[in-house]
Amino acid sequence: MTTFRDFPLYLMETLKCCTSLHGFVMFMFLTTVNKGSACEAPSSPECFRENAEESVYLCEWSMNTTESDVTFDLYLDRTKFGNIKTTHYEINEELLIRHRLINVWVEAHVGNLRCTSPRRSVILGHIAVKYEAPQNISVSWLSNNLSLIWKAAENHQALAEVWFQRDGHPTESWEKRSTYATVLTAHSSSEVPTSHRQPVKKHQYRVFIVNLLKHSAYQVQIKQRSIQAQNPLWSEWSPVVMVPAELEHEPEVNITTQVLNGTREVTLTWKPMPHVAEVGGVTYRLEDSQSSRGCPCKGTERRTHISKNIYTTYVSYSAVNISVTARNMAGYSPSALIQIPAEPATDLKSCGNMTLDEKLNKKTCKQWYELQDQDSRPENVITLATMQDYVRYLHFEHTCDSGKPRTVKMCLFYKKEGAPSRKPQDLTAFSDSHNSAMLSWTPISSEHQRGFLTHYNLCSVKISSQDGLEECRTISASLTKYRLENLAPGAKYNITLAGVTREGEGPKATLAINTLPEKQMNVWLSFGLLTVFFLGTSMCTVILKRIKSKIFPPVPKPVIPDFTIFQPENQQETPEEKEEVNDLMLLQLHPKGKSVPEDETTALRGEWGGESDEDFENERRDSRMSGGTSDDSPGSTDQALRSSREGEITELEQVDNEIAMLIYRNGLVFDVKTDSP
């Protein structure tokens, strides 16, 4: 661009050039440059190396233009590098003069216009070192200190300037920290916790910004400068880096499992991370010891990275571990480990005659877990090469069904069986009777069974017995208690208990017990109880009979004297006479010395229908016939009647003048009691 102070020189050159054709061409050139005063000239180029060992020089400049077809020509004295379409250019040192002062400038071409930058005089051998702006910055938290790591420009320290501000607090001002960036080595990285450790690359810088708040998010920018070059220059600012808060806690994972015909659908859900920890985004890494996209048993863990808070996978019936780890720009959270045990199966049986060299198809595989007290964690998975004799294994056989693992067989397996190596533990006895004892013990652990336990052998022998016979019993292998019966009272026994497999009997657990003596008091007590029982039943019988006599008094039986039936000589002529009482006469007895009033007798007779003397005489006749006697004297009859009456009155006086009358009619007897007068 032509300035006002250069105008006289410009005029003189114009006049000189106008005298010839060549001058006319030069006039037109300068006129073009003058007309280009509307073209803003680029800045003076700045040439440097990115480090002291670099053999490539980089020249940079700037220009404010909106044109897209701008090209540049770079001049280093008389050396021209043309048709450059960017605002920087790299030049190998072989093409340059390094130890002499030269002029450097840039000429921009915008259409038909040309703009020239100011000239800069430099000695390339003394040129400055300017690092590139830090790129790909990794951040992590170490307590309340922020670690920043980026690619190193040189293999020695540099000066770094860090600007930072808390995210979400725009009113707070940016803070500046200047510090030395150290070269990161593998040894120094080992001091960083594993969850925060970044992979060490060749030549990396690291700085720590101390005394920050790890529970807050920050915005960070960095620039760097050499401390060994003669003319160091600050690099450009790095892009703004978002630093989230530290992930202190593991994800809170909930698990649901659904059994689906040999496979299990596992769904994991977890809560989102805190908002300040999600700045810049959060992803979740899931690792499981089985693969849902193929058969298990391949021995490889599958990693999955997702951004959601839910994950569904399919696993077989064998045990599986699934870990969930959150990751943000500042590092990883602690891993949440979910251990899904093997699907429990009741009454697992022996695998039978299965052999290890049994061939399977390509879609089927086997797994063995060393089973120690029902422990079947995934890390205990066993290969064929490491299987041992006398060790119990939990065997799984899996297939692949539509990309999902499915278990088709579960059983217990021994490569080789043997007799138990340990006796049953804690054998104890409790004798609560004179002829039996309760035994209890702890079963033999699976690692000491060395085979499938078929039963226990329980033997007892009586001490100081003349015959010394040992009695043995077979007890189920599932029992841990047993009552030993049919023992002698007050005796001492030696008891032995041993586990038995198909290969033989193991060591015996021994125990001496004493049965309780038989007590004589028990015999007397039984006899006393029996006596009390009989006495009680007898008393109850007597009491019941008395109660019955009070409630239901006995009916007296009629006194019928023996008599001989009079039979006439001619039975055919005399018809059989039947006894019949047509009328009754009620007589009231009076005490001795009293006479019966005539009117009372008459009244009584009237009450019974007014019997006639003739009827009375008939009754007397019947009475004589039934009694088998005959007395034709009326006087004797009256005298006998009075004597009987006097005897009856005497008896009635003794029982408080109670009147009793026997009424006899048609063979029935009624007990009639009346009050005394």
Side-chain angles (χ1 to χ4, degrees):
M1 182 185 342
T2 304
T3 62
F4 179 77
R5 66 181 182 180
D6 295 332
F7 182 74
L9 180 59
Y10 164 72
L11 182 58
M12 291 179 61
E13 293 292 336
T14 301
L15 293 176
K16 290 180 181 179
C17 293
C18 288
T19 58
S20 63
L21 181 61
H22 178 72
F24 177 77
V25 174
M26 291 296 298
F27 174 79
M28 294 300 296
F29 171 76
L30 293 175
T31 302
T32 303
V33 173
N34 185 43
K35 290 181 179 180
S37 60
C39 173
E40 184 177 353
S43 63
S44 179
E46 187 179 59
C47 296
F48 56 86
R49 290 175 296 172
E50 291 187 346
N51 57 66
E53 304 297 330
E54 190 65 55
S55 61
V56 177
Y57 288 79
L58 178 63
C59 295
E60 292 182 341
W61 60 93
S62 62
M63 179 179 178
N64 293 328
T65 180
T66 58
E67 300 293 335
S68 60
D69 58 346
V70 179
T71 59
F72 301 95
D73 294 334
L74 175 63
Y75 291 90
L76 280 74
D77 266 354
R78 297 179 182 179
T79 305
K80 174 184 176 182
F81 302 93
N83 199 23
I84 302 173
K85 298 183 180 298
T86 61
T87 56
H88 59 85
Y89 191 73
E90 294 181 354
I91 307 171
N92 290 327
E93 63 180 0
E94 291 85 359
L95 303 177
L96 301 176
I97 301 174
R98 301 178 57 192
H99 304 290
R100 183 170 61 85
L101 184 66
I102 60 174
N103 294 323
V104 181
W105 73 94
V106 175
E107 186 178 87
H109 300 269
V110 184
N112 294 327
L113 302 179
R114 282 181 287 181
C115 304
T116 304
S117 71
R119 298 188 180 190
R120 181 191 295 270
S121 297
V122 297
I123 298 176
L124 296 179
H126 299 163
I127 202 168
V129 173
K130 179 182 178 181
Y131 294 157
E132 66 176 345
Q135 303 291 331
N136 302 323
I137 301 173
S138 300
V139 298
S140 62
W141 288 99
L142 184 61
S143 186
N144 284 322
N145 303 324
L146 179 63
S147 171
L148 304 173
I149 300 176
W150 66 93
K151 181 182 177 181
E154 294 183 291
N155 194 18
H156 54 75
Q157 285 186 336
L159 185 63
E161 187 173 296
V162 181
W163 286 66
F164 58 90
Q165 181 190 44
R166 281 206 303 168
D167 185 60
H169 298 76
T171 58
E172 295 183 3
S173 60
W174 286 75
E175 295 186 45
K176 181 180 73 172
R177 301 276 181 92
S178 295
T179 182
Y180 287 103
T182 58
V183 178
L184 186 63
T185 62
H187 175 72
S188 61
S189 67
S190 63
E191 301 174 359
V192 181
T194 305
S195 59
H196 302 285
R197 192 176 301 166
Q198 304 292 339
V200 178
K201 300 178 181 178
K202 184 179 180 180
H203 304 315
Q204 284 188 324
Y205 282 147
R206 182 180 67 182
V207 296
F208 283 104
I209 310 301
V210 298
N211 298 327
L212 299 183
L213 300 175
K214 64 179 181 180
H215 302 295
S216 300
Y218 288 86
Q219 300 180 44
V220 177
Q221 274 190 301
I222 309 174
K223 65 178 181 179
Q224 58 185 351
R225 192 185 71 180
S226 174
I227 59 175
Q228 292 187 349
Q230 294 181 356
N231 300 309
L233 299 175
W234 281 106
S235 69
E236 301 296 332
W237 285 102
S238 69
V240 176
V241 179
M242 302 300 298
V243 181
E246 183 183 21
L247 293 168
E248 287 189 285
H249 305 289
E250 63 186 33
E252 298 180 14
V253 182
N254 296 320
I255 179 173
T256 58
T257 305
Q258 184 179 3
V259 179
L260 302 172
N261 189 24
T263 188
R264 293 180 291 178
E265 182 184 70
V266 178
T267 301
L268 305 178
T269 57
W270 54 89
K271 297 180 180 179
M273 295 292 105
H275 176 71
V276 290
E278 290 185 330
V279 172
V282 174
T283 58
Y284 299 93
R285 184 183 67 188
L286 293 99
E287 297 178 308
D288 62 79
S289 55
Q290 292 185 6
S291 174
S292 63
R293 297 183 179 178
C295 289
C297 315
K298 293 185 177 179
T300 59
E301 292 188 351
R302 183 172 59 89
R303 291 186 178 183
T304 303
H305 294 83
I306 60 174
S307 58
K308 297 180 180 180
N309 297 71
I310 185 171
Y311 175 71
T312 301
T313 186
Y314 294 90
V315 299
S316 65
Y317 281 179
S318 59
V320 59
N321 284 346
I322 301 179
S323 63
V324 181
T325 309
R327 182 183 184 278
N328 61 10
M329 294 291 296
Y332 295 89
S333 72
S335 297
L337 181 62
I338 298 91
Q339 291 186 330
I340 305 176
E343 185 67 21
T346 58
D347 300 329
L348 282 177
K349 304 299 182 181
S350 169
C351 293
N353 298 324
M354 186 189 70
T355 58
L356 296 177
D357 56 355
E358 183 178 344
K359 293 184 179 180
L360 300 174
N361 55 44
K362 295 181 179 180
K363 293 185 178 181
T364 305
C365 63
K366 293 181 179 181
Q367 281 184 322
W368 291 271
Y369 294 95
E370 184 176 347
L371 195 61
Q372 297 183 358
D373 295 330
Q374 307 302 320
D375 182 15
S376 58
R377 292 173 295 177
E379 55 265 29
N380 293 336
V381 65
I382 303 299
T383 60
L384 291 176
T386 59
M387 293 187 71
Q388 302 176 5
D389 295 338
Y390 316 123
V391 176
R392 178 179 294 184
Y393 296 100
L394 181 60
H395 170 73
F396 290 93
E397 189 172 317
H398 310 293
T399 61
C400 291
D401 187 4
S402 300
K404 301 175 184 178
R406 185 168 65 88
T407 302
V408 296
K409 186 177 182 180
M410 293 176 61
C411 57
L412 299 177
F413 178 75
Y414 278 94
K415 182 180 178 181
K416 184 179 180 181
E417 291 189 62
S421 61
R422 180 174 292 184
K423 61 185 179 182
Q425 302 297 306
D426 305 324
L427 178 61
T428 58
F430 176 75
S431 180
D432 56 356
S433 66
H434 62 277
N435 61 353
S436 66
M438 176 61 73
L439 304 177
S440 65
W441 62 91
T442 302
I444 305 173
S445 58
S446 60
E447 59 266 30
H448 295 101
Q449 289 184 11
R450 294 163 53 92
F452 294 108
L453 200 65
T454 58
H455 62 276
Y456 287 104
N457 278 342
L458 177 62
C459 298
S460 62
V461 59
K462 186 177 179 181
I463 301 177
S464 71
S465 176
Q466 296 180 356
D467 50 8
L469 294 178
E470 185 179 42
E471 297 182 5
C472 293
R473 299 168 177 84
T474 298
I475 302 175
S476 173
S478 61
L479 295 180
T480 58
K481 292 182 179 180
Y482 183 78
R483 178 171 288 278
L484 187 61
E485 297 180 342
N486 299 326
L487 303 179
K492 186 174 182 180
Y493 287 86
N494 279 336
I495 308 298
T496 60
L497 181 68
V500 181
T501 65
R502 291 184 296 184
E503 298 299 323
E505 184 180 86
K508 297 180 179 180
T510 60
L511 179 67
I513 64 172
N514 294 309
T515 57
L516 298 177
E518 188 175 9
K519 297 181 179 180
Q520 297 296 329
M521 185 182 68
N522 295 335
V523 178
W524 288 107
L525 180 61
S526 301
F527 180 75
L529 292 176
L530 186 61
T531 304
V532 170
F533 173 75
F534 282 113
L535 291 177
T537 53
S538 300
M539 293 178 62
C540 290
T541 303
V542 174
I543 293 173
L544 289 175
K545 284 184 177 181
R546 290 191 176 185
I547 293 175
K548 181 179 179 182
S549 63
K550 293 293 184 179
I551 300 176
F552 306 104
V555 179
K557 298 181 179 180
V559 179
I560 304 174
D562 296 334
F563 64 93
T564 303
I565 300 175
F566 175 76
Q567 295 182 355
E569 296 180 357
N570 191 2
Q571 295 183 358
Q572 297 180 354
E573 295 179 355
T574 305
E576 181 181 357
E577 295 182 3
K578 294 183 179 179
E579 182 180 8
E580 179 177 2
V581 179
N582 296 324
D583 296 310
L584 298 176
M585 181 178 64
L586 179 62
L587 298 178
Q588 185 173 3
L589 303 179
H590 294 273
K592 183 176 182 182
K594 289 185 181 182
S595 61
V596 181
E598 184 176 87
D599 56 351
E600 184 176 351
T601 304
T602 306
L604 290 173
R605 289 180 178 179
E607 290 178 2
W608 291 92
E611 296 175 339
S612 61
D613 294 338
E614 185 179 358
D615 295 333
F616 181 73
E617 291 296 331
N618 293 333
E619 184 176 356
R620 288 172 56 189
R621 185 183 303 114
D622 295 336
S623 176
R624 286 194 302 267
M625 292 178 63
S626 62
T629 61
S630 176
D631 192 357
D632 297 333
S633 174
S636 62
T637 302
D638 294 338
Q639 185 178 0
L641 180 62
R642 281 195 302 268
S643 299
S644 63
R645 285 180 180 177
E646 290 176 359
E648 290 175 359
I649 291 172
T650 303
E651 183 180 358
L652 291 174
E653 287 177 353
Q654 296 176 1
V655 293
D656 200 14
N657 297 326
E658 185 178 358
I659 300 172
M661 173 61 70
L662 296 177
I663 301 172
Y664 178 77
R665 180 182 176 87
N666 292 335
L668 299 177
V669 178
F670 297 91
D671 187 6
V672 178
K673 296 181 181 180
T674 59
D675 296 334
S676 61

